[in-house]
Every structure is written in structure tokens, then in C-alpha cells.
Amino acid sequence: MTKYPSCLLLAVVTSVASSQSCDPAMLFAPEARTQLVGEPYDITSGDLDHDGDPDLVIACNTTGSRFFEVMLNNGDGSFAAPVQYTLADQAWCVALADMNGDNHLDAVIGHGSTPEISVALGDGSGGFGAATQFGAGGFATITDLVLGDWNADSNIDVAMVTFANQIRTMLGDGAGNLAPPSTLLTFGTTVSITTTDLNGDLDPDLILGDSSGNGIRVMLGASGDSFTLEPLTDVGFFVTNHELGDMDNDGDLDVVVSGSFPDTVMVVENTGSGVFAAGPSITVELVPDGVAVGDFDADGNTDAVVSLAFTDAVALIIGNGDNTLQPQLNSMVGVENLELVADDFDGNGSIDTACVSNATRTVSVLLNTCSAPCVADINNDGMLDFFDLSQFLSNMIDWNGDTVFDFFDISGFLQSFAAGCP
């Protein structure tokens, strides 16, 4: 039964809402490029110093360059000069998590010159202590890694891909240490790895990009740190990278895959419980590589940005909310771009991106000029005023989505109204 408020007393003020156009063709400001010391091969972001702004961590893999680099966010989307932290071997991939339970982000680095994983503990102010190396087994070096709790002990573990095409896990002890690895499977040529719980059993699963099989593979998590391999989903091209995002707004994470022969970006649809099917795709130019996802144009649908290895650009690919993709829109950036990351670097509510270029030893930040949507501006006239309140009440908008119009909806709307717009 619909509930109606018996009375309502409101003091309505007028404020200016954001009127920023979100034209995808004009979305990103010109790049801000920073010179690095090493050749970057991977990049990730996280709030290292607890100031609310995402910082950058970059893995470098160059002869003589045995370190990872950190760039702290100044709070406005600009970054301090990179600081190097020494490693015993060359860094190929990096991820961030709290490995020792002190509420600070730590860096986990996979090495491109030795079969080892390093853990560098963060100090909470943006710095890192000396890295500790842990043998990853065998002789093959690490190409990609992902972090999660595989055995449900509340400690962060590592899953990695090696040059020997093995998928291995190393369990964390909650104090920053890693146990010797388990070799799960050897197959294909895995080039990228991500994780989420696909089938709702509370065990995290692994999603793999298989270049030799030209597809996406799923390893469903089971008891302990065991996994079961599911059949390949063929995409019909040579996979270079992938990322997870809900591309059709059904609540399930789909896979955005980049690859070549032919140069393609495809949505691999999650049909439920970790079962995937090749979906819509678009042709892109000259070797798409790194992938990041987010709602870049603030229309409520998930989009993708893809680095282009031989076009000196990042491609913005707008999603339509039904797994279909619009043609690419390029932003010129870097040279021979590899990995990228998406985050809100300037705190305006919109998703920005940062991309590393191997050839120039640089990291480039593209700030998103599109402001986040102003949800309380119901009539979309760029102002928060009585007319928005009137439309809210006359339409009895279910603000909190519980199918009932009541005091809680009014309270939620007033909170959004009082907060203003980004």
C-alpha cells in the first residue's frame, strides 16, 4: 500500500546545479604528462595517505630499474613528482590491498625477471617500507596478478599468471607474508586475470583472458583455495586484456575484452552464475591493450576506456546499457600505451583515467570534464529550487527504491537537495 505524508513543512532554497555538458567527444581535458624514471608496465590507484584522493602506483620493468614508482595526488587531479621504492628485481605488475591488517594499502608486485612476488608494506602516509620477496615456484616469471581472499580466512591472498601459462595462488597470513604457491592449472596462454564472485556462493572466482584460445575462461572458486575450470567462451580474436563491468545494467558483471587479429573490443555477456556468451563488439584501431571501465559520461551506463598501443591514444568507448558499444572516440595521449586505470582523481564525481606509456617512460592523466549528474535537479534546468520539489512530490518519486513513497523518500530527497551538486 502506498503511504502518503500527512503534512510537509519545507524551507526551500535555490542553488545552482551543474549544467556541464557530457558530450563524449569533448569529455577529457588535454593530458597532463609526467616523466617517470623507469619504463612502466602496469599502473593502479588507491588512497595511500588517507586524504580521500586516489594516488598512483606504477610497476617498472627496465634493465637497471628495480623499483616501483609512487605519485601522490595533490587533491585536484595533479600529482607530486614520482618517488621510487627499491625492489630486488624488475616489476611487471602491481596491485594494492591491506596485506597486514593495519588499514594501510600495501603494494604487491609481480616480477618480470624472477619467479617471485614482492610485498611492500605501506606506512599510511604514502610511503612504503622495504619490500619482501616470496618465491612463486618454478622458473616462470609473473605476467599478471590479482588479490582476494581465496580460502575465507579474512586474509588477502594472491592469484597470478606466469609465463609458463600456469595459474598459481599464494595464501596470505594477515601479517604481510605469503605461503608457498599452489599450481592450479596449466593451459593456453593467459594474459590477464580479474576476480569477483560470479555465482553468488561467496567464493571469489577468477576470470582469465586466454590469448591462445581466443577467449575468456572462468575458474569458479570452491572450498579452500581450489578452483574448477569452466569451458572457454570463444571471442574470435587474439585477447590482450580484459576488465569487469555491468554493461547491460542487469546486476551481473560482464567482461570487456580487448584484442587483435582483428583489432576489437567486445562485451562478453554474463548470462548468470558465471556462464558467459560472446556479445556485441566494435572494430578499433591498431592494437587495443589496457582496459578500464566506468560511467565516464554520467548517463547511468558503464563505458570503457582502452589504451591503443600503436595509435598514441586512449579510446573512449561509450556503452549503451544493453551490452552494445558506440564507435571509439580518441584522446591523444602517450606513445605505445600499455596499461591504464580509471578513478576520480580530482574529486568532482566523474571518472578520470591515467595511462602509462612504455616508449616515453611517462604516465598521462586525462581529467574528465563532465560533472557527475545532479540527481536532485529533477527537471534538469540547472537549478535546485521549488520546481524540483514540486515535481518530486507530484510524481511521488520512490527515492530509495523500496517501492513505497513515504517519509524516507522525502528525507532522502531533502538530503540530496541540501548537498547541492558537484
Side-chain angles (χ1 to χ4, degrees):
M1 178 182 295
T2 302
K3 301 178 182 177
Y4 300 90
S6 58
C7 62
L8 180 64
L9 181 62
L10 298 174
V12 179
V13 296
T14 300
S15 60
V16 178
S18 171
S19 58
Q20 171 68 49
S21 171
C22 291
D23 178 3
M26 304 292 292
L27 205 64
F28 289 119
E31 66 170 314
R33 186 183 295 190
T34 300
Q35 192 69 44
L36 301 170
V37 175
E39 290 182 9
Y41 274 73
D42 197 14
I43 184 171
T44 191
S45 64
D47 186 4
L48 303 176
D49 51 4
H50 300 285
D51 63 355
D53 303 313
D55 309 300
L56 297 175
V57 179
I58 301 144
C60 297
N61 179 14
T62 310
T63 301
S65 298
R66 300 178 183 275
F67 48 77
F68 64 97
E69 303 195 42
V70 172
M71 295 172 58
L72 295 181
N73 195 328
N74 294 320
D76 59 358
S78 66
F79 290 82
V83 176
Q84 293 76 44
Y85 291 89
T86 301
L87 296 167
D89 293 291
Q90 297 164 357
W92 191 273
C93 49
V94 62
L96 298 174
D98 180 8
M99 301 297 292
N100 63 344
D102 63 356
N103 296 317
H104 305 323
L105 287 178
D106 310 308
V108 181
I109 300 107
H111 291 290
S113 54
T114 58
E116 294 182 313
I117 296 285
S118 284
V119 176
L121 299 179
D123 61 12
S125 62
F128 289 87
T132 302
Q133 284 189 253
F134 301 91
F139 60 89
T141 54
I142 314 304
T143 60
D144 199 9
L145 60 81
V146 69
L147 307 178
D149 181 8
W150 316 137
N151 60 347
D153 65 353
S154 299
N155 299 324
I156 300 298
D157 312 311
V158 179
M160 76 197 79
V161 178
T162 77
F163 270 118
N165 302 320
Q166 294 176 331
I167 311 300
R168 299 178 184 168
T169 60
M170 297 176 70
L171 299 181
D173 66 354
N177 303 305
L178 297 174
S182 301
T183 299
L184 299 178
L185 285 171
T186 302
F187 63 89
T189 304
T190 302
V191 293
S192 56
I193 183 171
T194 53
T195 184
T196 190
D197 179 10
L198 291 170
N199 55 2
D201 64 356
L202 304 182
D203 290 317
D205 311 306
L206 301 177
I207 301 91
L208 313 172
D210 183 353
S211 61
S212 63
N214 291 349
I216 293 295
R217 292 184 183 269
V218 171
M219 295 175 64
L220 293 177
S223 60
D225 66 334
S226 61
F227 295 80
T228 58
L229 182 66
E230 300 298 304
L232 175 81
T233 300
D234 188 0
V235 299
F237 55 87
F238 185 90
V239 174
T240 56
N241 219 318
H242 78 272
E243 190 53 86
L244 305 178
D246 185 1
M247 303 302 293
D248 53 5
N249 297 315
D250 65 353
D252 297 322
L253 290 179
D254 309 296
V255 187
V256 181
V257 186
S258 65
S260 55
F261 303 109
D263 295 333
T264 305
V265 172
M266 173 184 282
V267 175
V268 177
E269 181 184 359
N270 186 344
T271 62
S273 300
V275 178
F276 288 93
S281 66
I282 61 169
T283 299
V284 295
E285 54 184 345
L286 292 178
V287 192
D289 194 346
V291 181
V293 301
D295 183 8
F296 291 95
D297 62 347
D299 68 349
N301 300 321
T302 303
D303 315 305
V305 287
V306 179
S307 60
L308 302 174
F310 298 112
T311 314
D312 303 342
V314 165
L316 171 65
I317 300 172
I318 298 298
N320 295 317
D322 59 0
N323 282 331
T324 62
L325 304 170
Q326 297 181 24
Q328 72 185 88
L329 296 165
N330 284 0
S331 293
M332 303 311 295
V333 56
V335 178
E336 296 184 13
N337 300 300
L338 294 175
E339 294 289 342
L340 46 70
V341 65
D343 214 329
D344 182 8
F345 295 124
D346 55 2
N348 71 344
S350 60
I351 306 299
D352 314 302
T353 189
C355 179
V356 291
S357 170
N358 182 264
T360 58
R361 298 192 183 191
T362 57
V363 57
S364 295
V365 175
L366 290 171
L367 294 181
N368 191 338
T369 62
C370 175
S371 297
C374 186
V375 292
D377 181 21
I378 295 176
N379 62 2
N380 294 311
D381 64 354
M383 301 289 291
L384 294 183
D385 53 24
F386 170 81
F387 298 103
D388 298 301
L389 171 64
S390 176
Q391 190 163 331
F392 167 75
L393 292 175
S394 62
N395 292 321
M396 293 184 294
I397 295 175
D398 179 20
W399 197 257
N400 62 3
D402 65 354
T403 72
V404 175
F405 181 76
D406 55 18
F407 170 80
F408 298 103
D409 298 300
I410 298 172
S411 176
F413 171 79
L414 291 179
Q415 290 178 32
S416 295
F417 190 96
C421 292

